Amino acid sequence: MIANHPEREQIRLENVLFALGNALRLEIVKTLADGSELSCGALRQDVAKSTMTHHWRVLRDSGVIWQRPQGRENLISLRREDLDARFPGLLDTLLEAALRNNWQE
């Protein structure tokens, strides 16, 4: 594993909400919500690699994602189990709200 993954007990609500308060990071979480593990390249979209590195760090340091090296890539997955244990229902509520908001736009 890559450093700076907080333990489950160290995940703080304000850090999770800050991380998910960015549209690009929320889109990443929506993509990972099905339980998939994807490479950084698959999630990158049309954004500079350095910008994505910043977003990965915010998500990782807040406890929202796991990031693990696999060859020359990092694989990313959602820490759903840890987030659900710390804040029951929060992730589902945020994802549902994000989906509803996208349908209205």
Side-chain angles (χ1 to χ4, degrees), residues 1-2 5 37 66-71 73-77:
M1 281 292 166
I2 295 173
H5 289 95
E37 181 178 51
W66 287 116
Q67 197 174 17
R68 69 179 182 91
Q70 178 72 38
E73 287 272 8
N74 286 319
L75 296 179
I76 297 173
S77 59

Side-chain angles (χ1 to χ4, degrees), residues 55-75:
H55 290 301
W56 304 140
R57 186 179 326 105
V58 171
L59 288 167
R60 183 187 65 235
D61 291 352
S62 66
V64 174
I65 64 167
W66 287 116
Q67 197 174 17
R68 69 179 182 91
Q70 178 72 38
R72 295 178 56 155
E73 287 272 8
N74 286 319
L75 296 179

